[in-house]
Structure formats: C-alpha cells, structure tokens
Amino acid sequence: MQRLRCPPFKHFFSQMGRRPELLCGAIALSCAFIVALRVTCGRAKDVEMPARPPVHFFSPRSPVIDLFRGQLDYAEHIRQDSEITLFFLYAPWCGQSIATRQEIEHVASRLADQVLFVAVNCWWNQGKCRKQKSFFYFPVIYLYHKSFGPIEYKGPMTAAYIEKFVRRVMTPLLYISSRSRLRDFLANYEPAVLGYFEFNASPQPPGYLTFFSSALHSLKKDYVDTVRYGVITDKQVAKEISLTDSGSVYLHRKLNASLVYPHKILNYTAQNICNWAFENRETLLHWLRPHGGKSLLLNNELKKGPALILFIPFNPLSEDYPLLDEITEVALQYNSCNKSQAVEPGLQQLGQTDSLTTEPLPLDSPLHTSETLKKHQCCNTVVLPQWHTISRTHNICDLCVNQTFGIQPSKVTVPQCNFFEIEAALDSFYLKEHFFMQIMSNSIECSNFLSFYNPFSQYTACCRTMSRGLIDSTLYGQTDSKAQNLAFSSHGKNHKDGSQLSVPHIEESGSLIHDDTITGLSCKTNKTLNLYLLDSNLFWKYAERLGASRTTPVKEFATIVDLKEELHYILDQNRAFEKPTLETFIQNFSTIYSPLKRELVSSSHIHETKHHMITEVTTRTFHQVVLSSTKDVLLQYYAPWCGFCTALNHVFIRLARLLPSANFTVARINVAQNDLPWEFMVDRLPTILFFPYNRKDFSMKYPEHLDINLPNLLRFILQYSSQPFAVVPPEPCPKECSQTQPPLPNRVSHLEGKIQRLQTEISSLRKAQVQLATQISDARKDEHKLKIQKQTLEENSKALQLHKDILQALYEEKAKEVGEMAEKLQKLMDTSKSLLTENALLKILISSMEEKLVENKHEKKSSAFVQPFPAGTGGPVVDPEQKLHNENNADILGTDTAVTSEYIKGNRTA
C-alpha cells in the first residue's frame, strides 16, 4: 500500500507551529484583510429607504372623503348607498391634482347634500387603487349615477365646469309640461331629443328607463357637444311635435326635417337611441376645450376647412346667454340654405301664439310667387378689365339678374342687385369675357345665359367698349365721385406715376354691398365656415397668439383661419361684438375678392436694438427697418428651435462688426412668432435675403449651395450692394494742415509703393496657390494609391475570411470525431471494469470448488474403511444422517458447477 501524503496547508500549519511569530503575523494580516473587505463592501452596498406613508390630501374638515391609503374597495362599498357619487382619483405629487383639489372642495361644499364626494390616492404602491388601476394622467374624475358608470369627466378643471357636469348627470332629463317650456327647450343651441311618456298609467311607463339610460350614455359618449334629453308629460304638448304614442322619441333639427325614432326597424335600446341621436344630430356650434397638454385638437379641426373661431366669456352655471343666443342665431341663418323658409318659423309662431308649427311653408305661399321674385330683380353697372395690359379699352356692362330680355343701359331704374348674385355674375363674365372684345365700338351687345353658380338664375349683360380715359368723364353722365367707385383697384399695385389700374374689385365698391342678411350663405359659396367657440376665461392665451390684444377690457375676440389658403383675418376689437358685426365679418370673407386684410401676427416682445449690432425685426418693424431703410439690409430668417441658425450667430456678429453701420444693416427675424406678407416668406431655415437700399423689390437670396461663412457673405454683399460712392470735393486746407500734410508727389510715391507691395503679395499668393494646387494633386495621387491598397486589403481580408471559414469547418469536424472516439473509449473502460469484477468472482468460485473437491476425496477415503454389508441386505448399510449429508453435498456441488458454467459462458460472450 502507498503512503498517504499530507496536503500542503497541513504542512504549512506544521511549520507555523514550529515558528509562532509567523502564525501571529498571518492571523493579524487575515484580520486586517477581513476588516478592509467588510468596510469596502459596506460602502458599495445600495441603501434603500422605504417610502414614506401617505398622509391626508384633503383637510379632515373637508366634505370630501379622503381615502389617502388607496382603499378602492371601500370606495366601491360606500358608493352603493349613494345615488350620485364623484370619484376624484389623484396622485399627491401631481401639480394638476393639487390645483384641482380646491375646485373639488368648492363643488363639494355646494352639492355635498346631494352627491357623495370621494377622493382616492391612486399612487401609493400598497393601495388597491394603484394595484388595480393604471392611469397615464392625473387627476381622473369619475361620476356614478346609481348603478350606471363610470362617466369620465374630461373638461376644464374648474369648479364651474365640474359643477355643471355633476348637475347634468344628476338631472339627465328635463321634464316639459307646457308649450312655453317646449319652446325654450327647442330654442337652445344644443341638439335636442324628446320622448313622450304617459305617467298616468304607472310611475315608470314602458320605455322610460331605457330613455333615461340613453341620456346617460349620451353624457358618457360626448360631454362637450352632447345632446339634450327632454321628457314630455302632457299629451297635448306632445301633439305639437306629432308624437301620439307613449314611448315615442323625437329628434329636433333646425335646418333639416326633424326625425322620429324608427322603433320598428331598430331595437328600442338605450345604446341604439343614443347612437341614432348622435348620427342624425345637427351641431351648429362646436365647443373646443383644449386640455393644456400636447394635442392635435385645433389642428384636426382647422384641417376640415375655413374656421370662424369665437372667444367669448362663458359662465357654465348661468341660465341666460345673450351673446351666445346671438351667435346661435347667426349660425342658424348662415346654415339655412332654403331661402323660402324663414328662420325657425315654428319657434317664432310659438313665441307669438304659444303654439308650435314645424311644418314647412307650402309652395303656394307668397314667398314662392313670381311677384316676390320680381322684387329680387336688379341691375348694376360694372367695368370689366382690359384683355391685355397694353390695351386702353374697357368693357362697360349693365348686369341684370333674373331677367330674360335685354335692358338698355339708359333705362335701368331697378334697385341694385344682391351682392352675392352680382359677384357670381361678375365671375361668369370673367369666363365669358371674349364675347365682349369689340375695339372702340359704341354699339351695345347683349347676351343671355344661365348662371353656372345658381341653376335658378339667369344673367343678362349689355356691354359696350370705351376708352379707359373716357370712363371717368362720359360713363352715363355720372359724377366724378361715382365714376371713381367704378374704377376699382387691382391688388393695390400702383404705377410709377401714382395711378392705379382700373380693374373691378367688387369688395371695394361701397355701392354694391347692400345685402344685410347671411341666410343660406354657407350653400352659396365654396368658402364655407365651420363655427367654433372657446371660453375666453380659460383659453385667452390662444386668442393672444391669434392676434388678440392683451389689454382689452372685454375678452371677446373673433378670427377666421384658413390653413389651406394660409389666410388669417381678425375682427376689429374696437367694434362691438354683436350680430350685425359678425354678419358683416362673414360676408366680407365669403366674397370672391375679399376686402379683409390678412392679419400678420407679430411678436409681443419688442427688443431694444439701439446698442446691438444685429437688429431684431418684427412684423410691425419690418417695413421700417427693411423696406423703408436707406441702407443695404442683410436679413436672416431664424427660429428658436433651429439649431443651425444658432450655430451661425457668431458669423453674423463678426459680419456686423466689419460692415459700416452707416451703410449696412445686419438684421434677423424670428419667423416662429412673426408673420410676413407671402412674398417675403421662406420655406426653409436658415435663409438669408439681401435688400439693396435703392431697389428693395429686387431682393437677392443667398445661394443654398454655398457655405454660410464670413468670406462668402462678404462676397455676396459686395456683389449685389448698390451703395453710392460719391466723390467729395477737397476742402481748402488751412495753414496748419498744409504744414502737416506731405506734398502731393510724396503721397503719390507712397501710394505707388503700397501698390507694389500689394502686387508682390499677390504674386506670392499666386505662387502659394500653385504650390497648393501641386500639393492637392499629390494628395489626390496618394488618395488613389490608398484606394488601390484598400481594395487589395479588402480582397486579402475576404480570402482570409474564406480560409478561416474552411478551418472552422475542419475544426468542428475533428472535434466531432474526437468526441465520438471519447465515447467509444469510455464504453471500453466500462466493459473492462465489469470483466475485472467477473474474473475476481470466478477465482473465488474456483477456489471454493477446489476446497469442496478436497473434502469429497477425504470422504471417499473414509468410506473405504467401512465394514462389509450384512448378509441378506444386498448392500452396505448407510446411516440416515450420513445419507442426508451426502445429498446436500451433491446439491451444492451441482449448483456451483452450474454457476461456474454460466460465468464462463458470459465471459466468452463478452
């Protein structure tokens, strides 16, 4: 047997036992290492403080139940006992939640006896509200009406709007029992749905709960432009709107025919009634309430077409809206396309006789007679433009509407036409101008044709050609002032002599605008307006951005925005915000050649630029600083969000230092906050325009392919600059000056020396240029060589990569073969181990067999000395015990022999 060796550490400690000083030093070093490791790990370990427990968000004396631990299950439990419940779900750190807390308390103080107010902290991580709800914003206001809800409130977070929302849910239905109440209900600007139910039979007639649920579905679907629901309880009042059966539902529409719910086609369910009302409703005015965050609300609405945006101070809790009623009447007239039907005839008749008539006027009414049409017949005299700008002739035409025969110009005595009809006819003459191109002829040519603008109208034109110079003096004996009204201006462009072109622009003729109504105007023009309302108490910042004044005493503002045409008009804030003012504003916009002036929004902050090298230009100062200036002006267009513009600031500062301020102005304009006329706007930033001082209309744009640096800017300015270099006559020099100034020949020689030095510098610069060109050519050659070397290296790299792939494949194949060989060797080792074990067992069996054979031999020898058999027995006498012993030995020997043969057979098989 081999002797076991001690491990190295055992030998080490045996040595330490012999030398105690080494053992003490090792122990001290180990302790120091453990202490340093513990201190180091302790410093690197992150320490997490548990979150502070939540505290009360509302005052304990507040009427709002504050579940500051987020007990949402308890909130659901207590709301089962209340008819109306408001949930205020907040986060304690949210600024909007903190700001809305006072508004909620104000509403709760007014409605606590009717509504249960519950506030739940939905931010604490151990509360059930945080575990069950996941909100993307705070606060969230849910309102429950018994078992219906939640109805989420998404309006302004102010007490007045929240209270109006709560009261609307508290009473989703208005009960109408008289004709006066019916008139007031239908006169509202919101869409109206009426249901008739007979309450005499039972307290809850069939269909009433379904109608009630439909009103709640309407509030849940759209709270801003919702549909007002009313219930008629009187049978006689229901007959006024043709409702006779209990459970009938009626949708009132002001512009089109009103509808009755088709219960035979659609199932009478709350959701179906709500969807039917929203699909068929008429919305004259759209309320916009931006939530203050990033939103596409205004952009999506303005993309629908031209928009009239009205900012009015609105009190949601007020019952009377005089200004809103006037705006609603304007919207109703603007969208009433059927001229033969008066505005809300049924409502007007109901207001006078306390009865309601919603049927349209019959065709045989006075509004449809020919006598009424004759009242609208009219003629007017217009001046058509010349065909070419070099022509000196004009067509003078008498234009008549709804006439089927020609009228001589001298016999025209009927009133002047409706403004829009004349405008449409004028547009027709532009298309048919080639019919009236007689050259200096006094004959009158009359033509009749149907209007392409209105299929029920006809135009008659009697025209003659006159010289342009004779129009003012000979046109039907008119006075000078009236003749000037016929000489319309063209886009405000003047000649060099100050005269204007005589081209008709109908909006500048005061004698043509006599239409004092806008009834059906939305169907008469392609510039149909969408009307939007905003509360100026909440969204006045939008009005200021659109051009409203900050110092106005009354927050009322109207503007028209047309994104497609890039038009922006505002109503003069000095004028009263009344119905006639709005009608005139809409009329002026609806004309083909609108007299309104495009509003240019200017930056409200005016920079003081007296001590700055770069002049800051705004919309208001653009004409003075750029166009009216006696200097050359270099104008940069920039925006605060443009990073490239900011990177160029140092270039323009250096340029402003180099250029003389007496002749040049370096300016810039922030186009993100300042609008300019279309001819001065740009489509990319940064953009640089140069305005020469004596020809501002020939402004030049800095080339886009050039880098914006100081040398390029100087070349650009010097190329297009038109500053005069006047020769100033020399003044007589006094005696002191003559003594100090050198004589003229010396000055000439001095200048010649300077010229020579400059020529020398130029020659040296040329030599340097040649050298630089040589270096550039060498660099190009080197670059070509490097490209060739790069290609060679890339090819070698590809070959090496291919060789690498081949070697990798061979390596994987050999590794696989080695693995298979290892598995075979492992099997052989296992087989050899089993054979060794079997051989040892065979040896033991053989040895045991040998011992048994030896014992058998001894027994045979002993049996040879047994006595002979007795007579008469025929054999030896065997003891029974000896016989049993012999049988056992024989069995054992047989068994061993069988086992040995099996092991031998197994070894041979293996």
Side-chain angles (χ1 to χ4, degrees), residues 280-301:
N280 298 282
R281 65 177 176 173
E282 290 177 343
T283 305
L284 300 176
L285 301 172
H286 298 268
W287 279 98
L288 299 180
R289 296 191 177 103
H291 55 73
K294 291 184 177 180
S295 172
L296 297 177
L297 174 63
L298 292 177
N299 182 65
N300 294 336
E301 293 296 334

Short mmCIF file of all heavy atoms in Angstrom, two decimals, residues 280-301:
data_model
loop_
_atom_site.label_atom_id
_atom_site.label_comp_id
_atom_site.label_asym_id
_atom_site.label_seq_id
_atom_site.Cartn_x
_atom_site.Cartn_y
_atom_site.Cartn_z
N ASN A 280 -77.63 61.53 -36.38
CA ASN A 280 -78.55 62.40 -37.11
C ASN A 280 -78.65 63.82 -36.54
O ASN A 280 -79.45 64.61 -37.02
CB ASN A 280 -79.96 61.78 -37.13
CG ASN A 280 -79.99 60.45 -37.84
OD1 ASN A 280 -80.00 60.37 -39.07
ND2 ASN A 280 -80.01 59.38 -37.06
N ARG A 281 -77.88 64.15 -35.56
CA ARG A 281 -77.97 65.47 -34.94
C ARG A 281 -77.37 66.54 -35.85
O ARG A 281 -76.57 66.25 -36.75
CB ARG A 281 -77.24 65.48 -33.60
CG ARG A 281 -75.75 65.26 -33.73
CD ARG A 281 -75.04 65.35 -32.41
NE ARG A 281 -73.62 65.04 -32.57
CZ ARG A 281 -72.71 65.17 -31.61
NH1 ARG A 281 -73.07 65.60 -30.41
NH2 ARG A 281 -71.44 64.88 -31.83
N GLU A 282 -77.73 67.79 -35.58
CA GLU A 282 -77.17 68.95 -36.25
C GLU A 282 -76.45 69.80 -35.20
O GLU A 282 -77.06 70.23 -34.22
CB GLU A 282 -78.25 69.78 -36.92
CG GLU A 282 -78.88 69.13 -38.12
CD GLU A 282 -80.00 69.99 -38.69
OE1 GLU A 282 -80.47 70.90 -37.98
OE2 GLU A 282 -80.40 69.75 -39.84
N THR A 283 -75.17 70.02 -35.43
CA THR A 283 -74.38 70.81 -34.50
C THR A 283 -73.97 72.09 -35.19
O THR A 283 -73.12 72.08 -36.09
CB THR A 283 -73.15 70.03 -34.02
OG1 THR A 283 -73.57 68.79 -33.45
CG2 THR A 283 -72.38 70.82 -32.97
N LEU A 284 -74.59 73.19 -34.81
CA LEU A 284 -74.28 74.47 -35.42
C LEU A 284 -72.98 75.05 -34.88
O LEU A 284 -72.22 75.68 -35.62
CB LEU A 284 -75.42 75.46 -35.18
CG LEU A 284 -76.79 75.05 -35.72
CD1 LEU A 284 -77.83 76.07 -35.32
CD2 LEU A 284 -76.74 74.90 -37.23
N LEU A 285 -72.73 74.87 -33.61
CA LEU A 285 -71.55 75.41 -32.95
C LEU A 285 -70.80 74.29 -32.26
O LEU A 285 -71.41 73.42 -31.61
CB LEU A 285 -71.95 76.47 -31.92
CG LEU A 285 -72.73 77.68 -32.44
CD1 LEU A 285 -73.21 78.52 -31.28
CD2 LEU A 285 -71.86 78.52 -33.37
N HIS A 286 -69.49 74.30 -32.41
CA HIS A 286 -68.64 73.30 -31.78
C HIS A 286 -67.84 73.98 -30.67
O HIS A 286 -67.13 74.96 -30.93
CB HIS A 286 -67.68 72.66 -32.78
CG HIS A 286 -68.37 71.93 -33.88
ND1 HIS A 286 -68.66 70.58 -33.82
CD2 HIS A 286 -68.83 72.35 -35.09
CE1 HIS A 286 -69.27 70.21 -34.94
NE2 HIS A 286 -69.39 71.27 -35.71
N TRP A 287 -67.96 73.45 -29.47
CA TRP A 287 -67.15 73.95 -28.36
C TRP A 287 -65.80 73.23 -28.36
O TRP A 287 -65.74 72.00 -28.44
CB TRP A 287 -67.85 73.71 -27.02
CG TRP A 287 -68.89 74.73 -26.69
CD1 TRP A 287 -70.23 74.63 -26.88
CD2 TRP A 287 -68.66 76.02 -26.11
NE1 TRP A 287 -70.86 75.77 -26.45
CE2 TRP A 287 -69.92 76.65 -25.97
CE3 TRP A 287 -67.52 76.70 -25.70
CZ2 TRP A 287 -70.06 77.92 -25.44
CZ3 TRP A 287 -67.67 77.97 -25.17
CH2 TRP A 287 -68.92 78.58 -25.04
N LEU A 288 -64.73 74.00 -28.30
CA LEU A 288 -63.39 73.44 -28.22
C LEU A 288 -62.84 73.71 -26.83
O LEU A 288 -62.84 74.86 -26.37
CB LEU A 288 -62.47 74.07 -29.29
CG LEU A 288 -62.88 73.87 -30.74
CD1 LEU A 288 -61.88 74.54 -31.67
CD2 LEU A 288 -62.98 72.39 -31.08
N ARG A 289 -62.37 72.66 -26.20
CA ARG A 289 -61.80 72.81 -24.86
C ARG A 289 -60.48 72.07 -24.81
O ARG A 289 -60.42 70.91 -24.38
CB ARG A 289 -62.77 72.27 -23.80
CG ARG A 289 -64.07 73.07 -23.72
CD ARG A 289 -64.88 72.70 -22.50
NE ARG A 289 -66.07 73.52 -22.40
CZ ARG A 289 -67.30 73.12 -22.72
NH1 ARG A 289 -67.47 71.90 -23.18
NH2 ARG A 289 -68.33 73.92 -22.59
N PRO A 290 -59.37 72.67 -25.26
CA PRO A 290 -58.05 72.02 -25.17
C PRO A 290 -57.70 71.76 -23.72
O PRO A 290 -57.98 72.59 -22.84
CB PRO A 290 -57.11 73.05 -25.82
CG PRO A 290 -57.99 73.94 -26.64
CD PRO A 290 -59.31 73.98 -25.93
N HIS A 291 -57.08 70.61 -23.47
CA HIS A 291 -56.77 70.24 -22.09
C HIS A 291 -55.46 70.82 -21.59
O HIS A 291 -55.10 70.62 -20.43
CB HIS A 291 -56.74 68.72 -21.94
CG HIS A 291 -55.81 68.04 -22.89
ND1 HIS A 291 -54.44 68.08 -22.77
CD2 HIS A 291 -56.05 67.32 -24.01
CE1 HIS A 291 -53.89 67.40 -23.75
NE2 HIS A 291 -54.84 66.93 -24.52
N GLY A 292 -54.72 71.54 -22.45
CA GLY A 292 -53.50 72.20 -21.99
C GLY A 292 -52.23 71.45 -22.30
O GLY A 292 -51.14 72.03 -22.26
N GLY A 293 -52.31 70.16 -22.61
CA GLY A 293 -51.12 69.40 -22.97
C GLY A 293 -50.94 69.35 -24.48
O GLY A 293 -51.60 70.06 -25.24
N LYS A 294 -50.02 68.52 -24.91
CA LYS A 294 -49.80 68.36 -26.34
C LYS A 294 -51.00 67.67 -26.96
O LYS A 294 -51.39 66.59 -26.55
CB LYS A 294 -48.52 67.55 -26.59
CG LYS A 294 -47.24 68.28 -26.22
CD LYS A 294 -46.02 67.47 -26.59
CE LYS A 294 -44.75 68.23 -26.28
NZ LYS A 294 -43.54 67.45 -26.63
N SER A 295 -51.59 68.31 -27.94
CA SER A 295 -52.81 67.79 -28.53
C SER A 295 -52.92 68.28 -29.96
O SER A 295 -52.38 69.32 -30.33
CB SER A 295 -54.04 68.23 -27.72
OG SER A 295 -55.22 67.88 -28.38
N LEU A 296 -53.64 67.51 -30.78
CA LEU A 296 -53.91 67.88 -32.18
C LEU A 296 -55.36 68.31 -32.35
O LEU A 296 -55.90 68.26 -33.45
CB LEU A 296 -53.60 66.69 -33.10
CG LEU A 296 -52.16 66.23 -33.14
CD1 LEU A 296 -52.02 64.99 -34.04
CD2 LEU A 296 -51.24 67.33 -33.65
N LEU A 297 -55.99 68.77 -31.26
CA LEU A 297 -57.39 69.13 -31.33
C LEU A 297 -57.62 70.27 -32.32
O LEU A 297 -58.42 70.16 -33.24
CB LEU A 297 -57.89 69.52 -29.94
CG LEU A 297 -59.32 70.07 -29.87
CD1 LEU A 297 -60.31 69.00 -30.30
CD2 LEU A 297 -59.63 70.55 -28.46
N LEU A 298 -56.91 71.38 -32.15
CA LEU A 298 -57.09 72.53 -33.04
C LEU A 298 -56.65 72.20 -34.46
O LEU A 298 -57.30 72.60 -35.43
CB LEU A 298 -56.32 73.73 -32.50
CG LEU A 298 -56.83 74.33 -31.19
CD1 LEU A 298 -55.92 75.46 -30.74
CD2 LEU A 298 -58.24 74.84 -31.34
N ASN A 299 -55.56 71.48 -34.58
CA ASN A 299 -55.05 71.16 -35.91
C ASN A 299 -56.03 70.30 -36.69
O ASN A 299 -56.29 70.54 -37.88
CB ASN A 299 -53.70 70.46 -35.79
CG ASN A 299 -53.09 70.14 -37.13
OD1 ASN A 299 -52.75 71.02 -37.89
ND2 ASN A 299 -52.95 68.86 -37.42
N ASN A 300 -56.61 69.31 -36.04
CA ASN A 300 -57.57 68.42 -36.72
C ASN A 300 -58.83 69.18 -37.13
O ASN A 300 -59.41 68.90 -38.18
CB ASN A 300 -57.92 67.24 -35.82
CG ASN A 300 -56.73 66.33 -35.58
OD1 ASN A 300 -55.80 66.29 -36.39
ND2 ASN A 300 -56.75 65.61 -34.49
N GLU A 301 -59.27 70.11 -36.30
CA GLU A 301 -60.47 70.87 -36.65
C GLU A 301 -60.20 71.87 -37.77
O GLU A 301 -61.02 72.04 -38.67
CB GLU A 301 -61.00 71.60 -35.40
CG GLU A 301 -61.52 70.68 -34.31
CD GLU A 301 -62.73 69.88 -34.76
OE1 GLU A 301 -63.46 70.35 -35.65
OE2 GLU A 301 -62.95 68.79 -34.22
#
